[in-house]
Amino acid sequence: MNPDNGSLPVHTSSRELVNAVLDGELVDEQPATPVKSWVRRLAEWWQRSPRVPVGLKSRRLVMQAVRDFVVAVLRSPFRFARAVVRGSLVAVRWWRSWVRVADYRAAAEQSEKLADKFGDIRALTLFRWKVTGAVLAATGVAVAAFDLVYGHLVLWIGGGVVSVGLAVLGRRKDGSPGRKPALAGPRTLTWTMDPQVLVDAFRDAKLIGKDETLRLVERATRQGDGWAVTADLPATRKAADVIKNRDALASALAVDEVQLIAERVRGNGGHAGRVALWVADEDPYGTPPLRTPLLRVEQWDAWRPVPFGRDARQRRVDLPLVWTSLLVGAIPRQGKTFAARLAAAGLILDPHTRLYVADFKAGKDWHAAARVAHRFMAGDEPAHVLALADWLVELVAEVQGRYRRMQDLDDETCPESKITPAMSRDPNLNMPVTALFVDEVQIPLEDRTPLDVQGKKLTAGEYVGELLTWLARKGPAAGIVLVLATQRPDSKTIPSNLRAVLGSRFALRVMDWRDSNIVLGEQMNTRGYDSSRLMATHKGVGILRPDGETTAGADLLATTVRTYYMPNEDWRTICARGRALREAESTLSGHAAGQDDRPVLDRAAVANAVETVATRAHETKVPEPLASVVDYLGDDIQPGGRDFVPTAELTAALDIEPTAFGLRMGEFGCRPTRDRIVTDDGVRQVRGYLIADLRAALASVWDGTVDGEAVEDDL
């Protein structure tokens, strides 16, 4: 054959052709299928076999088991010695009780015949002393005789047998005198080597019963600067109860509650009764804070979550901003402004974003943002409140215009009625991600300057509140991001209808649990998340309730986060970098570009739009008793609030007859069901209504007057 193209040459003979064919048959012979080696088959069987424990199928867990075994072997001499000492104490106490005829004496005392039985007790005591002496003497003679005959080996064997017996007698066992010390001491690290101590801690915290135990899914392993363990609770016990009573478990483990992290394991590898614990060696927030990683970044993408801080396990927590909004609440000097600036830093480093910054603290914290902001102001006078209202009117008109332009776009450019990354960077569409930052938002919301909006008498605070609520409902899908920060998180300052539509919440230290619930949501303190219990020395530490998936987990309800540290010099550096990026991309506009023109406003259209959204629920009359139920529940009817409300609670609060109430609620499609609630007397099963059914009933009442998407926004 021709080695160049594989074809036969013209002068090839027939004999050579036959030989070539025979050679080809040998080449085309298929090799035999290789037989799997016994090592591979054993490995496959090991992974699939249900007889092999799960802990031995992971290399990491096997290595941890080997390390635990080595540590147990090294500790065994010390544990054996302690057991022998405890056994000796138990034996001495038993002998003393026997020689003193303690049982006979106690019976005589109870029958009040101790004086009559004193002679018998005395005689029996002397007899047992004689028996003790005789046994000791006989034992000594026997040991001496065996030592003379067989040598010192007898002493070693006898001592070994006695020590083993004492060690068995002295093993730790609850309820046995002398086997459990009265002062056990701190159990922070004890439970890592002795899982029984962890079980005792759960029992002491009343998270499991005295006769119940835990099932270890993963033994204690070293993770970071602490120990992690995963356990299954007994049947009917919930991981949510462990999270809620985390302080009691921390007390049982003899650690501060900030050192204990309790999380429910979800997904394919978890269930409602599987809990993951992590215990830090020391206060995880006692070290100096870390600088923001954005200092090392030349440019950022606003569609990526912003690096926000780290949790107790030093895992980075990122905060998504697009398609949501953020409320930051705290008492003064706890790091509220720092947290809001961290959210702004990621957007500043994206040259395709547009920023509105209103600093009602009127300090220097936000001054550097004037170099990149489309709109900027700092002040706390009524004129500044009216200027903010004009900004909000401009943003409402911008949102309306974006939705109208989306209707004319094809499905490839705009697949849904939401802005996309490509749309936000297209200069022809003019739909950049736009963020509004309002620091000390309580100042404009409490302003009492009278206004006349389309014939309607309002205060400036009420008008600002309605505009912010409208933007929080309709703006995220159009690329509008709201970040509001306040040092007065109370129900009078932040209206409930505004709080209900702010997706992400971050609560630093506040004064009491009510303020914490206002920021994080109703009933969050009963779920174990209460920012009023944070330590005053932990600056920048707060509870984050994100809207959307974060690096800490998609199913995470809330987590304690220590925000990154970004002092004024770092803030100025990031703002200068953001300005340079905008100059390079020719996206500098508004105040930053020296254009201080006032916004062009269409107040009539904006007022009509805001009034429609703000009043449509009132225009649609909600019949009783559903209206009273919705009014009683308040924020609890919002997603993220309560899941269940007992019938007895509703009938007592509304002062209504239970039978008539049940029949009327059935007409709205709300059927009572049974669920468990926690009371002072323990866990009880009661009848009540699911909050999801109540929201569906309210939506059905509004059906026909508003579209489905608008109803979802309201709910």
Side-chain angles (χ1 to χ4, degrees):
M1 296 183 69
N2 190 337
D4 295 333
N5 53 21
S7 62
L8 290 173
V10 178
H11 60 275
T12 304
S13 65
S14 60
R15 185 178 182 85
E16 292 174 346
L17 180 59
V18 172
N19 292 336
V21 172
L22 293 176
D23 291 342
E25 289 179 356
L26 293 175
V27 171
D28 292 339
E29 184 178 356
Q30 296 293 330
T33 303
V35 180
K36 292 184 178 179
S37 66
W38 66 272
V39 177
R40 184 175 180 183
R41 283 185 293 176
L42 177 62
E44 292 180 354
W45 172 85
W46 188 273
Q47 292 295 328
R48 292 195 304 264
S49 175
R51 297 180 180 86
V52 179
V54 178
L56 297 179
K57 295 183 179 181
S58 169
R59 177 173 296 182
R60 179 179 62 85
L61 295 179
V62 170
M63 294 301 297
Q64 183 63 38
V66 172
R67 286 194 292 267
D68 292 343
F69 176 76
V70 172
V71 172
V73 170
L74 295 177
R75 294 177 70 244
S76 58
F78 304 98
R79 297 182 63 182
F80 182 80
R82 288 197 297 267
V84 170
V85 172
R86 288 194 301 268
S88 301
L89 294 176
V90 172
V92 170
R93 289 180 181 179
W94 175 83
W95 170 80
R96 185 170 180 272
S97 175
W98 175 78
V99 80
R100 293 181 65 250
V101 200
D103 51 348
Y104 194 11
R105 187 188 300 270
E109 289 178 351
Q110 291 181 358
S111 61
E112 298 181 355
K113 296 181 179 180
L114 181 61
D116 299 337
K117 301 292 183 180
F118 182 77
D120 297 338
I121 293 174
R122 179 65 177 172
L124 187 56
T125 301
L126 291 175
F127 173 75
R128 291 185 176 181
W129 271 106
K130 293 177 182 178
V131 170
T132 301
V135 170
L136 291 176
T139 303
V141 171
V143 169
F146 279 108
D147 181 60
L148 286 173
V149 176
Y150 300 104
H152 297 307
L153 181 63
V154 174
L155 297 178
W156 287 103
I157 295 176
V161 172
V162 171
S163 62
V164 170
L166 291 176
V168 173
L169 184 64
R171 68 189 187 279
R172 289 188 180 275
K173 186 177 180 181
D174 294 349
S176 299
R179 300 185 183 180
K180 190 173 183 180
L183 298 177
R187 298 191 286 185
T188 310
L189 296 179
T190 306
W191 64 270
T192 61
M193 298 303 172
D194 188 357
Q196 183 60 39
V197 178
L198 181 63
V199 176
D200 293 341
F202 270 80
R203 291 173 179 170
D204 294 341
K206 298 182 179 180
L207 297 174
I208 61 176
K210 293 183 178 180
D211 299 329
E212 294 177 329
T213 186
L214 301 175
R215 183 184 297 273
L216 287 183
V217 180
E218 293 185 6
R219 291 182 60 86
T221 56
R222 189 71 180 171
Q223 292 185 7
D225 295 331
W227 290 88
V229 64
T230 302
D232 280 346
L233 300 173
T236 73
R237 299 287 183 175
K238 299 179 181 179
D241 296 331
V242 178
I243 298 173
K244 181 171 63 177
N245 297 284
R246 183 171 56 93
D247 53 344
L249 181 59
S251 174
L253 290 172
V255 297
D256 192 275
E257 60 187 86
V258 299
Q259 295 177 243
L260 174 63
I261 304 298
E263 298 174 347
R264 175 186 168 185
V265 181
R266 309 200 67 171
N268 294 331
H271 54 81
R274 179 164 293 180
V275 61
L277 302 177
W278 185 81
V279 182
D281 298 337
E282 56 186 11
D283 185 358
Y285 308 116
T287 57
L290 299 176
R291 293 287 184 94
T292 174
L294 291 177
L295 284 174
R296 303 186 298 270
V297 176
E298 292 298 326
Q299 187 172 342
W300 193 257
D301 185 356
W303 290 84
R304 292 177 57 190
V306 177
F308 193 66
R310 291 184 178 270
D311 64 5
R313 302 173 66 170
Q314 295 304 309
R315 298 176 299 184
R316 198 175 91 172
V317 177
D318 296 341
L319 177 66
L321 290 175
V322 180
W323 290 348
T324 186
S325 49
L326 174 65
L327 173 63
V328 181
I331 59 177
R333 296 177 299 279
Q334 292 299 316
K336 172 183 75 290
T337 300
F338 275 64
R341 291 197 315 192
L342 282 170
L347 302 180
I348 288 174
L349 291 178
D350 187 339
H352 300 284
T353 60
R354 185 178 296 166
L355 301 178
Y356 287 63
V357 179
D359 178 17
F360 284 94
K361 186 187 293 185
K364 62 183 296 185
D365 295 326
W366 292 90
H367 185 70
R371 305 184 61 189
V372 295
H374 179 73
R375 304 283 183 196
F376 179 85
M377 68 176 176
D380 56 358
E381 301 295 330
H384 297 96
V385 177
L386 297 178
L388 175 63
D390 290 344
W391 291 6
L392 298 177
V393 170
E394 180 185 31
L395 288 173
V396 170
E398 174 68 17
V399 172
Q400 292 175 317
R402 292 188 180 189
Y403 280 125
R404 285 193 297 268
R405 297 199 298 275
M406 287 181 190
Q407 296 176 358
D408 300 329
L409 299 176
D410 57 76
D411 292 341
E412 183 177 354
T413 304
C414 183
E416 301 177 10
S417 295
K418 293 181 180 179
I419 190 174
T420 65
M423 293 169 59
S424 67
R425 297 185 178 92
D426 190 343
N428 297 323
L429 294 179
N430 191 24
M431 296 185 188
V433 173
T434 302
L436 170 64
F437 294 85
V438 184
D439 199 358
E440 306 296 352
V441 71
Q442 75 276 359
I443 293 178
L445 289 174
E446 293 178 342
D447 191 274
R448 304 267 69 91
T449 302
L451 294 178
D452 186 356
V453 181
Q454 297 296 306
K456 183 180 179 181
K457 301 295 183 180
L458 293 173
T459 64
E462 293 172 341
Y463 188 41
V464 168
E466 289 185 1
L467 292 170
L468 286 174
T469 303
W470 193 96
L471 285 172
R473 283 174 171 166
K474 306 291 290 185
I480 306 299
V481 180
L482 262 64
V483 179
L484 309 179
T486 178
Q487 65 176 359
R488 196 177 303 167
D490 56 59
S491 57
K492 295 181 180 179
T493 300
I494 311 293
S496 59
N497 58 344
L498 174 58
R499 296 198 314 271
V501 291
L502 294 173
S504 298
R505 317 286 185 88
F506 184 60
L508 295 111
R509 183 169 172 265
V510 294
M511 293 305 297
D512 60 21
W513 61 268
R514 299 176 185 84
D515 294 340
S516 177
N517 283 349
I518 288 173
V519 179
L520 296 175
E522 294 297 329
Q523 305 296 323
M524 286 296 288
N525 66 310
T526 63
R527 304 182 189 184
Y529 302 103
D530 184 0
S531 63
S532 66
R533 307 180 71 172
L534 298 173
M535 297 178 64
T537 55
H538 291 165
K539 303 295 184 182
V541 177
I543 299 176
L544 175 64
R545 186 179 183 182
D547 180 18
E549 183 175 355
T550 66
T551 52
D555 300 317
L556 187 68
L557 176 62
T559 183
T560 302
V561 178
R562 185 181 195 178
T563 58
Y564 287 118
Y565 182 58
M566 187 171 61
N568 282 335
E569 56 267 24
D570 295 347
W571 170 246
R572 288 192 292 267
T573 300
I574 289 177
C575 290
R577 193 176 302 164
R579 182 179 179 88
L581 291 171
R582 283 166 174 75
E583 290 175 345
E585 295 287 340
S586 300
T587 56
L588 209 60
S589 63
H591 179 87
Q595 304 167 0
D596 290 328
D597 53 327
R598 297 179 63 85
V600 179
L601 308 176
D602 186 356
R603 295 187 181 276
V606 170
N608 291 334
V610 174
E611 184 177 2
T612 299
V613 174
T615 62
R616 61 187 176 184
H618 301 286
E619 292 173 354
T620 304
K621 183 175 177 58
V622 179
E624 294 291 346
L626 184 60
S628 298
V629 171
V630 173
D631 183 66
Y632 168 72
L633 291 175
D635 287 349
D636 283 348
I637 202 171
Q638 307 293 340
R642 298 171 65 178
D643 298 325
F644 177 81
V645 56
T647 303
E649 178 183 342
L650 292 176
T651 55
L654 304 180
D655 192 19
I656 191 172
E657 199 272 325
T659 303
F661 176 75
L663 293 174
R664 192 74 180 94
M665 292 298 291
E667 298 177 1
F668 299 112
C670 298
R671 303 286 184 236
T673 184
R674 288 189 177 275
D675 201 349
R676 291 181 174 87
I677 63 172
V678 180
T679 65
D680 295 337
D681 300 329
V683 179
R684 294 178 52 202
Q685 190 177 46
V686 299
R687 293 180 65 84
Y689 295 92
L690 296 175
I691 300 298
D693 293 345
L694 298 177
R695 287 201 297 267
L698 185 60
S700 65
V701 171
W702 288 348
D703 190 23
T705 60
V706 295
D707 60 283
E709 180 181 353
V711 169
E712 183 66 21
D713 286 340
D714 281 346
L715 294 179

